PDB file of all heavy atoms in Angstrom:
ATOM      1  N   ALA A 367      41.396  77.870  20.106  1.00 98.00           N
ATOM      2  CA  ALA A 367      40.310  77.926  19.113  1.00 98.00           C
ATOM      3  C   ALA A 367      39.524  76.619  19.112  1.00 98.00           C
ATOM      4  O   ALA A 367      38.286  76.626  19.101  1.00 98.00           O
ATOM      5  CB  ALA A 367      40.879  78.218  17.731  1.00 98.00           C
ATOM      6  N   LEU A 368      40.248  75.494  19.146  1.00 98.00           N
ATOM      7  CA  LEU A 368      39.564  74.192  19.144  1.00 98.00           C
ATOM      8  C   LEU A 368      38.739  74.020  20.417  1.00 98.00           C
ATOM      9  O   LEU A 368      37.564  73.640  20.378  1.00 98.00           O
ATOM     10  CB  LEU A 368      40.614  73.072  19.029  1.00 98.00           C
ATOM     11  CG  LEU A 368      40.104  71.648  19.247  1.00 98.00           C
ATOM     12  CD1 LEU A 368      39.041  71.267  18.220  1.00 98.00           C
ATOM     13  CD2 LEU A 368      41.263  70.642  19.186  1.00 98.00           C
ATOM     14  N   GLN A 369      39.335  74.338  21.561  1.00 98.00           N
ATOM     15  CA  GLN A 369      38.642  74.086  22.822  1.00 98.00           C
ATOM     16  C   GLN A 369      37.441  75.006  23.003  1.00 98.00           C
ATOM     17  O   GLN A 369      36.441  74.621  23.615  1.00 98.00           O
ATOM     18  CB  GLN A 369      39.605  74.221  24.007  1.00 98.00           C
ATOM     19  CG  GLN A 369      38.993  73.840  25.328  1.00 98.00           C
ATOM     20  CD  GLN A 369      38.488  72.397  25.380  1.00 98.00           C
ATOM     21  OE1 GLN A 369      39.119  71.498  24.828  1.00 98.00           O
ATOM     22  NE2 GLN A 369      37.334  72.186  26.009  1.00 98.00           N
ATOM     23  N   LYS A 370      37.523  76.204  22.425  1.00 97.00           N
ATOM     24  CA  LYS A 370      36.408  77.148  22.544  1.00 97.00           C
ATOM     25  C   LYS A 370      35.130  76.517  21.983  1.00 97.00           C
ATOM     26  O   LYS A 370      34.074  76.569  22.613  1.00 97.00           O
ATOM     27  CB  LYS A 370      36.759  78.423  21.769  1.00 97.00           C
ATOM     28  CG  LYS A 370      35.885  79.584  22.073  1.00 97.00           C
ATOM     29  CD  LYS A 370      36.412  80.832  21.414  1.00 97.00           C
ATOM     30  CE  LYS A 370      35.309  81.880  21.401  1.00 97.00           C
ATOM     31  NZ  LYS A 370      35.607  82.956  20.483  1.00 97.00           N
ATOM     32  N   GLU A 371      35.276  75.886  20.824  1.00 97.00           N
ATOM     33  CA  GLU A 371      34.106  75.219  20.203  1.00 97.00           C
ATOM     34  C   GLU A 371      33.614  74.075  21.083  1.00 97.00           C
ATOM     35  O   GLU A 371      32.421  73.903  21.290  1.00 97.00           O
ATOM     36  CB  GLU A 371      34.494  74.576  18.868  1.00 97.00           C
ATOM     37  CG  GLU A 371      34.681  75.527  17.742  1.00 97.00           C
ATOM     38  CD  GLU A 371      35.254  74.785  16.533  1.00 97.00           C
ATOM     39  OE1 GLU A 371      35.042  73.561  16.408  1.00 97.00           O
ATOM     40  OE2 GLU A 371      35.944  75.453  15.732  1.00 97.00           O
ATOM     41  N   ILE A 372      34.582  73.271  21.574  1.00 98.00           N
ATOM     42  CA  ILE A 372      34.198  72.094  22.374  1.00 98.00           C
ATOM     43  C   ILE A 372      33.477  72.540  23.645  1.00 98.00           C
ATOM     44  O   ILE A 372      32.420  72.001  23.994  1.00 98.00           O
ATOM     45  CB  ILE A 372      35.448  71.241  22.726  1.00 98.00           C
ATOM     46  CG1 ILE A 372      36.070  70.679  21.445  1.00 98.00           C
ATOM     47  CG2 ILE A 372      35.085  70.112  23.689  1.00 98.00           C
ATOM     48  CD1 ILE A 372      37.404  69.961  21.648  1.00 98.00           C
ATOM     49  N   THR A 373      34.030  73.539  24.327  1.00 97.00           N
ATOM     50  CA  THR A 373      33.435  73.994  25.586  1.00 97.00           C
ATOM     51  C   THR A 373      32.019  74.512  25.353  1.00 97.00           C
ATOM     52  O   THR A 373      31.091  74.166  26.091  1.00 97.00           O
ATOM     53  CB  THR A 373      34.314  75.084  26.235  1.00 97.00           C
ATOM     54  OG1 THR A 373      35.559  74.491  26.591  1.00 97.00           O
ATOM     55  CG2 THR A 373      33.681  75.655  27.488  1.00 97.00           C
ATOM     56  N   LEU A 374      31.844  75.305  24.304  1.00 97.00           N
ATOM     57  CA  LEU A 374      30.513  75.849  24.048  1.00 97.00           C
ATOM     58  C   LEU A 374      29.523  74.717  23.742  1.00 97.00           C
ATOM     59  O   LEU A 374      28.409  74.698  24.255  1.00 97.00           O
ATOM     60  CB  LEU A 374      30.571  76.858  22.886  1.00 97.00           C
ATOM     61  CG  LEU A 374      29.314  77.677  22.673  1.00 97.00           C
ATOM     62  CD1 LEU A 374      28.927  78.440  23.938  1.00 97.00           C
ATOM     63  CD2 LEU A 374      29.506  78.675  21.520  1.00 97.00           C
ATOM     64  N   ARG A 375      29.981  73.754  22.930  1.00 97.00           N
ATOM     65  CA  ARG A 375      29.098  72.626  22.594  1.00 97.00           C
ATOM     66  C   ARG A 375      28.726  71.852  23.861  1.00 97.00           C
ATOM     67  O   ARG A 375      27.573  71.507  24.081  1.00 97.00           O
ATOM     68  CB  ARG A 375      29.800  71.716  21.580  1.00 97.00           C
ATOM     69  CG  ARG A 375      28.857  70.787  20.854  1.00 97.00           C
ATOM     70  CD  ARG A 375      29.447  70.158  19.613  1.00 97.00           C
ATOM     71  NE  ARG A 375      30.730  69.520  19.818  1.00 97.00           N
ATOM     72  CZ  ARG A 375      31.848  69.822  19.157  1.00 97.00           C
ATOM     73  NH1 ARG A 375      31.854  70.790  18.269  1.00 97.00           N
ATOM     74  NH2 ARG A 375      32.972  69.177  19.398  1.00 97.00           N
ATOM     75  N   LYS A 376      29.737  71.617  24.699  1.00 96.00           N
ATOM     76  CA  LYS A 376      29.462  70.858  25.935  1.00 96.00           C
ATOM     77  C   LYS A 376      28.520  71.634  26.851  1.00 96.00           C
ATOM     78  O   LYS A 376      27.614  71.068  27.460  1.00 96.00           O
ATOM     79  CB  LYS A 376      30.776  70.563  26.671  1.00 96.00           C
ATOM     80  CG  LYS A 376      31.620  69.581  25.907  1.00 96.00           C
ATOM     81  CD  LYS A 376      32.338  68.634  26.795  1.00 96.00           C
ATOM     82  CE  LYS A 376      31.448  67.598  27.397  1.00 96.00           C
ATOM     83  NZ  LYS A 376      32.102  66.435  27.900  1.00 96.00           N
ATOM     84  N   ASN A 377      28.759  72.941  26.971  1.00 97.00           N
ATOM     85  CA  ASN A 377      27.885  73.756  27.825  1.00 97.00           C
ATOM     86  C   ASN A 377      26.442  73.700  27.325  1.00 97.00           C
ATOM     87  O   ASN A 377      25.502  73.610  28.114  1.00 97.00           O
ATOM     88  CB  ASN A 377      28.367  75.202  27.873  1.00 97.00           C
ATOM     89  CG  ASN A 377      29.671  75.341  28.647  1.00 97.00           C
ATOM     90  OD1 ASN A 377      30.140  74.374  29.240  1.00 97.00           O
ATOM     91  ND2 ASN A 377      30.249  76.522  28.627  1.00 97.00           N
ATOM     92  N   ARG A 378      26.286  73.736  25.991  1.00 97.00           N
ATOM     93  CA  ARG A 378      24.919  73.718  25.428  1.00 97.00           C
ATOM     94  C   ARG A 378      24.212  72.391  25.674  1.00 97.00           C
ATOM     95  O   ARG A 378      22.984  72.351  25.720  1.00 97.00           O
ATOM     96  CB  ARG A 378      24.963  74.033  23.933  1.00 97.00           C
ATOM     97  CG  ARG A 378      25.247  75.511  23.714  1.00 97.00           C
ATOM     98  CD  ARG A 378      25.152  75.884  22.265  1.00 97.00           C
ATOM     99  NE  ARG A 378      25.347  77.307  22.108  1.00 97.00           N
ATOM    100  CZ  ARG A 378      25.942  77.885  21.078  1.00 97.00           C
ATOM    101  NH1 ARG A 378      26.395  77.140  20.079  1.00 97.00           N
ATOM    102  NH2 ARG A 378      26.076  79.194  21.028  1.00 97.00           N
ATOM    103  N   GLN A 379      25.011  71.323  25.833  1.00 96.00           N
ATOM    104  CA  GLN A 379      24.386  70.020  26.110  1.00 96.00           C
ATOM    105  C   GLN A 379      23.648  70.028  27.450  1.00 96.00           C
ATOM    106  O   GLN A 379      22.804  69.178  27.698  1.00 96.00           O
ATOM    107  CB  GLN A 379      25.451  68.910  26.123  1.00 96.00           C
ATOM    108  CG  GLN A 379      25.892  68.514  24.725  1.00 96.00           C
ATOM    109  CD  GLN A 379      27.121  67.601  24.741  1.00 96.00           C
ATOM    110  OE1 GLN A 379      27.615  67.218  25.802  1.00 96.00           O
ATOM    111  NE2 GLN A 379      27.612  67.264  23.559  1.00 96.00           N
ATOM    112  N   HIS A 380      23.993  70.989  28.324  1.00 97.00           N
ATOM    113  CA  HIS A 380      23.319  71.057  29.628  1.00 97.00           C
ATOM    114  C   HIS A 380      21.931  71.679  29.529  1.00 97.00           C
ATOM    115  O   HIS A 380      21.143  71.581  30.469  1.00 97.00           O
ATOM    116  CB  HIS A 380      24.148  71.880  30.627  1.00 97.00           C
ATOM    117  CG  HIS A 380      25.453  71.246  30.988  1.00 97.00           C
ATOM    118  ND1 HIS A 380      25.544  69.997  31.534  1.00 97.00           N
ATOM    119  CD2 HIS A 380      26.735  71.691  30.892  1.00 97.00           C
ATOM    120  CE1 HIS A 380      26.810  69.690  31.750  1.00 97.00           C
ATOM    121  NE2 HIS A 380      27.548  70.703  31.361  1.00 97.00           N
ATOM    122  N   VAL A 381      21.653  72.371  28.418  1.00 98.00           N
ATOM    123  CA  VAL A 381      20.365  73.073  28.308  1.00 98.00           C
ATOM    124  C   VAL A 381      19.218  72.054  28.398  1.00 98.00           C
ATOM    125  O   VAL A 381      19.250  71.013  27.743  1.00 98.00           O
ATOM    126  CB  VAL A 381      20.280  73.902  26.999  1.00 98.00           C
ATOM    127  CG1 VAL A 381      18.884  74.487  26.808  1.00 98.00           C
ATOM    128  CG2 VAL A 381      21.332  74.997  27.012  1.00 98.00           C
ATOM    129  N   GLY A 382      18.241  72.353  29.258  1.00 97.00           N
ATOM    130  CA  GLY A 382      17.103  71.440  29.453  1.00 97.00           C
ATOM    131  C   GLY A 382      17.280  70.557  30.682  1.00 97.00           C
ATOM    132  O   GLY A 382      16.305  70.045  31.226  1.00 97.00           O
ATOM    133  N   SER A 383      18.544  70.399  31.147  1.00 97.00           N
ATOM    134  CA  SER A 383      18.758  69.527  32.315  1.00 97.00           C
ATOM    135  C   SER A 383      18.476  70.301  33.604  1.00 97.00           C
ATOM    136  O   SER A 383      18.453  71.531  33.617  1.00 97.00           O
ATOM    137  CB  SER A 383      20.196  69.009  32.337  1.00 97.00           C
ATOM    138  OG  SER A 383      21.077  70.077  32.620  1.00 97.00           O
ATOM    139  N   VAL A 384      18.269  69.541  34.682  1.00 97.00           N
ATOM    140  CA  VAL A 384      18.085  70.166  35.995  1.00 97.00           C
ATOM    141  C   VAL A 384      19.363  69.916  36.800  1.00 97.00           C
ATOM    142  O   VAL A 384      19.822  68.784  36.896  1.00 97.00           O
ATOM    143  CB  VAL A 384      16.852  69.579  36.726  1.00 97.00           C
ATOM    144  CG1 VAL A 384      16.785  70.092  38.156  1.00 97.00           C
ATOM    145  CG2 VAL A 384      15.589  69.911  35.960  1.00 97.00           C
ATOM    146  N   GLN A 385      19.953  70.993  37.335  1.00 97.00           N
ATOM    147  CA  GLN A 385      21.232  70.870  38.044  1.00 97.00           C
ATOM    148  C   GLN A 385      21.083  71.338  39.487  1.00 97.00           C
ATOM    149  O   GLN A 385      20.327  72.275  39.762  1.00 97.00           O
ATOM    150  CB  GLN A 385      22.285  71.763  37.372  1.00 97.00           C
ATOM    151  CG  GLN A 385      22.469  71.524  35.897  1.00 97.00           C
ATOM    152  CD  GLN A 385      23.582  70.531  35.598  1.00 97.00           C
ATOM    153  OE1 GLN A 385      24.442  70.279  36.436  1.00 97.00           O
ATOM    154  NE2 GLN A 385      23.550  69.950  34.412  1.00 97.00           N
ATOM    155  N   GLU A 386      21.845  70.688  40.367  1.00 97.00           N
ATOM    156  CA  GLU A 386      21.891  71.143  41.760  1.00 97.00           C
ATOM    157  C   GLU A 386      22.901  72.300  41.862  1.00 97.00           C
ATOM    158  O   GLU A 386      24.014  72.197  41.348  1.00 97.00           O
ATOM    159  CB  GLU A 386      22.363  69.984  42.631  1.00 97.00           C
ATOM    160  CG  GLU A 386      22.457  70.323  44.105  1.00 97.00           C
ATOM    161  CD  GLU A 386      23.395  69.384  44.838  1.00 97.00           C
ATOM    162  OE1 GLU A 386      22.942  68.335  45.310  1.00 97.00           O
ATOM    163  OE2 GLU A 386      24.600  69.729  44.952  1.00 97.00           O
ATOM    164  N   VAL A 387      22.481  73.374  42.519  1.00 97.00           N
ATOM    165  CA  VAL A 387      23.352  74.551  42.631  1.00 97.00           C
ATOM    166  C   VAL A 387      23.502  74.945  44.102  1.00 97.00           C
ATOM    167  O   VAL A 387      22.510  74.979  44.838  1.00 97.00           O
ATOM    168  CB  VAL A 387      22.737  75.748  41.850  1.00 97.00           C
ATOM    169  CG1 VAL A 387      23.622  76.984  41.971  1.00 97.00           C
ATOM    170  CG2 VAL A 387      22.547  75.387  40.396  1.00 97.00           C
ATOM    171  N   LEU A 388      24.725  75.228  44.508  1.00 97.00           N
ATOM    172  CA  LEU A 388      24.941  75.832  45.831  1.00 97.00           C
ATOM    173  C   LEU A 388      24.911  77.347  45.624  1.00 97.00           C
ATOM    174  O   LEU A 388      25.774  77.901  44.929  1.00 97.00           O
ATOM    175  CB  LEU A 388      26.288  75.382  46.407  1.00 97.00           C
ATOM    176  CG  LEU A 388      26.678  76.001  47.752  1.00 97.00           C
ATOM    177  CD1 LEU A 388      25.697  75.611  48.863  1.00 97.00           C
ATOM    178  CD2 LEU A 388      28.096  75.586  48.164  1.00 97.00           C
ATOM    179  N   VAL A 389      23.917  78.006  46.222  1.00 97.00           N
ATOM    180  CA  VAL A 389      23.707  79.435  45.954  1.00 97.00           C
ATOM    181  C   VAL A 389      24.746  80.264  46.717  1.00 97.00           C
ATOM    182  O   VAL A 389      24.838  80.200  47.938  1.00 97.00           O
ATOM    183  CB  VAL A 389      22.280  79.880  46.352  1.00 97.00           C
ATOM    184  CG1 VAL A 389      22.051  81.331  45.943  1.00 97.00           C
ATOM    185  CG2 VAL A 389      21.238  78.969  45.714  1.00 97.00           C
ATOM    186  N   GLU A 390      25.535  81.037  45.950  1.00 95.00           N
ATOM    187  CA  GLU A 390      26.626  81.807  46.578  1.00 95.00           C
ATOM    188  C   GLU A 390      26.224  83.236  46.882  1.00 95.00           C
ATOM    189  O   GLU A 390      26.917  83.930  47.623  1.00 95.00           O
ATOM    190  CB  GLU A 390      27.854  81.788  45.662  1.00 95.00           C
ATOM    191  CG  GLU A 390      28.453  80.391  45.565  1.00 95.00           C
ATOM    192  CD  GLU A 390      29.579  80.281  44.546  1.00 95.00           C
ATOM    193  OE1 GLU A 390      30.159  81.313  44.171  1.00 95.00           O
ATOM    194  OE2 GLU A 390      29.847  79.138  44.132  1.00 95.00           O
ATOM    195  N   GLY A 391      25.113  83.700  46.286  1.00 93.00           N
ATOM    196  CA  GLY A 391      24.669  85.073  46.539  1.00 93.00           C
ATOM    197  C   GLY A 391      24.320  85.761  45.240  1.00 93.00           C
ATOM    198  O   GLY A 391      24.067  85.100  44.229  1.00 93.00           O
ATOM    199  N   GLU A 392      24.350  87.099  45.296  1.00 92.00           N
ATOM    200  CA  GLU A 392      23.976  87.865  44.111  1.00 92.00           C
ATOM    201  C   GLU A 392      25.104  87.788  43.074  1.00 92.00           C
ATOM    202  O   GLU A 392      26.282  87.778  43.433  1.00 92.00           O
ATOM    203  CB  GLU A 392      23.750  89.317  44.533  1.00 92.00           C
ATOM    204  CG  GLU A 392      22.881  90.068  43.549  1.00 92.00           C
ATOM    205  CD  GLU A 392      22.543  91.467  44.062  1.00 92.00           C
ATOM    206  OE1 GLU A 392      22.216  91.585  45.255  1.00 92.00           O
ATOM    207  OE2 GLU A 392      22.643  92.402  43.272  1.00 92.00           O
ATOM    208  N   SER A 393      24.741  87.739  41.783  1.00 89.00           N
ATOM    209  CA  SER A 393      25.776  87.684  40.742  1.00 89.00           C
ATOM    210  C   SER A 393      26.502  89.023  40.677  1.00 89.00           C
ATOM    211  O   SER A 393      25.998  90.032  41.158  1.00 89.00           O
ATOM    212  CB  SER A 393      25.149  87.357  39.390  1.00 89.00           C
ATOM    213  OG  SER A 393      24.285  88.406  39.028  1.00 89.00           O
ATOM    214  N   ARG A 394      27.679  89.002  40.057  1.00 83.00           N
ATOM    215  CA  ARG A 394      28.509  90.213  40.044  1.00 83.00           C
ATOM    216  C   ARG A 394      27.792  91.385  39.364  1.00 83.00           C
ATOM    217  O   ARG A 394      27.894  92.514  39.782  1.00 83.00           O
ATOM    218  CB  ARG A 394      29.844  89.922  39.376  1.00 83.00           C
ATOM    219  CG  ARG A 394      30.994  90.381  40.259  1.00 83.00           C
ATOM    220  CD  ARG A 394      32.338  90.171  39.604  1.00 83.00           C
ATOM    221  NE  ARG A 394      32.553  88.781  39.203  1.00 83.00           N
ATOM    222  CZ  ARG A 394      33.355  88.427  38.197  1.00 83.00           C
ATOM    223  NH1 ARG A 394      33.967  89.334  37.483  1.00 83.00           N
ATOM    224  NH2 ARG A 394      33.526  87.157  37.894  1.00 83.00           N
ATOM    225  N   LYS A 395      27.082  91.067  38.284  1.00 81.00           N
ATOM    226  CA  LYS A 395      26.369  92.140  37.580  1.00 81.00           C
ATOM    227  C   LYS A 395      25.126  92.590  38.352  1.00 81.00           C
ATOM    228  O   LYS A 395      24.538  93.619  38.053  1.00 81.00           O
ATOM    229  CB  LYS A 395      25.952  91.660  36.192  1.00 81.00           C
ATOM    230  CG  LYS A 395      27.109  91.646  35.200  1.00 81.00           C
ATOM    231  CD  LYS A 395      26.598  91.329  33.806  1.00 81.00           C
ATOM    232  CE  LYS A 395      27.747  90.953  32.898  1.00 81.00           C
ATOM    233  NZ  LYS A 395      27.361  90.005  31.863  1.00 81.00           N
TER     234      LYS A 395
END
Side-chain angles (χ1 to χ4, degrees):
L368 170 61
Q369 186 59 38
K370 194 172 164 195
E371 285 172 26
I372 296 173
T373 295
L374 190 57
R375 198 164 51 237
K376 291 217 74 161
N377 290 354
R378 286 186 177 146
Q379 283 170 3
H380 294 302
V381 173
S383 69
V384 172
Q385 305 267 341
E386 180 202 271
V387 179
L388 177 63
V389 185
E390 293 173 20
E392 202 174 316
S393 64
R394 231 183 304 153
K395 283 187 195 149

